[in-house]
Amino acid sequence: MLNRPPHTTRFRAALVCVLGTTLLGLATAGCEDDTAASDSGRRQSATRADLATDGDGGKTLRLGEPTSITYKRGSDHMRGALRVTAVSVREGTHAELKKAGTEPSDVRTTQPYYVTMTFENVGENSLHYPFLNTPTGLQDTNGVDDQPLITGDTEVAACPGKDPDDFAVGAKVSLCKVFLVPNGIRPSVVTYSTGDDTKRPVSWKVRR
């Protein structure tokens, strides 16, 4: 058997240790990179999921069935998440509108309907002056968008619809909106959409 010089043996042993340490470091770095990429992907997916909550856009739901939507306000790019439900659609009376001082000029050719919605802030941000009820719409059996009654600051007692000034996280509110439907025509679908999704509103079928 050949006798190798001690320093040669020590050199090779050190070389093996260095190579092993380097390979282990690369493997560990690779794992850390994969973990970071995975965590980043999860964070990005969560963010997208938070914002892309309009899964029922374009669908027609039943009255009373809630849906989650992304709240968007174009003026200041405010975003949030709401759970919205069309609760009911019922006939109102011109006498109730007259009592509130909001009777329309076409009183003889229209029938008022009251659309009640509920809203819940399920996002992470409080919404200041959210105008929650503004995107609520009503289509009739002719497929026409019926006109909402402009009440200004006046409240119709039978259909209160004043938005909260601040809508805190976890807050819930019920709001009503008056629509004027031509005589002889019936309401068909309640719609709701915000931001860029006005072409694919969430809809609720009105019971007949």
Side-chain angles (χ1 to χ4, degrees), residues 179-202:
F179 288 88
L180 302 174
V181 180
N183 289 338
I185 307 296
R186 300 281 296 177
S188 177
V189 175
V190 178
T191 61
Y192 195 87
S193 61
T194 66
D196 301 327
D197 298 315
T198 53
K199 294 182 179 179
R200 296 182 66 252
V202 180

Side-chain angles (χ1 to χ4, degrees), residues 23-37:
L23 291 174
L24 179 60
L26 290 173
T28 303
C31 291
E32 290 175 351
D33 289 345
D34 289 344
T35 301

Side-chain angles (χ1 to χ4, degrees), residues 134-187:
T134 300
T136 301
L138 183 66
Q139 292 181 351
D140 59 37
T141 50
N142 286 343
V144 176
D145 291 321
D146 295 306
Q147 294 299 311
L149 179 66
I150 306 301
T151 60
D153 294 329
T154 304
E155 282 283 310
V156 177
C159 186
K162 188 179 185 304
D163 271 84
D165 291 341
D166 287 285
F167 198 43
V169 175
K172 298 179 182 179
V173 66
S174 178
L175 300 173
C176 184
K177 191 171 181 177
V178 181
F179 288 88
L180 302 174
V181 180
N183 289 338
I185 307 296
R186 300 281 296 177

Side-chain angles (χ1 to χ4, degrees), residues 6-197:
H7 68 275
T8 302
T9 303
R10 287 195 298 272
F11 173 77
R12 289 182 177 178
L15 181 61
V16 169
C17 289
V18 170
L19 288 174
T21 303
T22 302
L23 291 174
L24 179 60
L26 290 173
T28 303
C31 291
E32 290 175 351
D33 289 345
D34 289 344
T35 301
S38 177
D39 290 343
S40 175
R42 280 195 293 269
R43 286 194 298 270
Q44 291 176 3
S45 297
T47 301
R48 284 194 295 268
D50 290 341
L51 296 179
T53 52
D54 304 317
D56 290 324
K59 294 182 180 180
T60 301
L61 309 175
R62 300 183 306 273
L63 279 180
E65 187 174 355
T67 186
S68 294
I69 67 141
T70 300
Y71 171 89
K72 302 174 186 177
R73 191 165 70 193
S75 59
D76 54 7
H77 306 290
M78 181 184 289
R79 286 175 177 263
L82 301 177
R83 182 172 291 118
V84 182
T85 310
V87 177
S88 65
V89 179
R90 61 188 180 88
E91 284 191 18
T93 68
H94 283 285
E96 291 167 336
L97 303 186
K98 185 176 182 180
K99 185 176 181 179
T102 59
E103 189 175 29
S105 58
D106 52 354
V107 60
R108 295 183 179 180
T109 60
T110 60
Q111 168 65 45
Y113 280 87
Y114 302 154
V115 177
T116 299
M117 307 284 291
T118 60
F119 303 89
E120 180 181 1
N121 187 347
V122 295
E124 299 178 352
N125 301 315
S126 178
L127 303 176
H128 189 56
Y129 293 122
F131 299 103
L132 298 172
N133 215 13
T134 300
T136 301
L138 183 66
Q139 292 181 351
D140 59 37
T141 50
N142 286 343
V144 176
D145 291 321
D146 295 306
Q147 294 299 311
L149 179 66
I150 306 301
T151 60
D153 294 329
T154 304
E155 282 283 310
V156 177
C159 186
K162 188 179 185 304
D163 271 84
D165 291 341
D166 287 285
F167 198 43
V169 175
K172 298 179 182 179
V173 66
S174 178
L175 300 173
C176 184
K177 191 171 181 177
V178 181
F179 288 88
L180 302 174
V181 180
N183 289 338
I185 307 296
R186 300 281 296 177
S188 177
V189 175
V190 178
T191 61
Y192 195 87
S193 61
T194 66
D196 301 327
D197 298 315

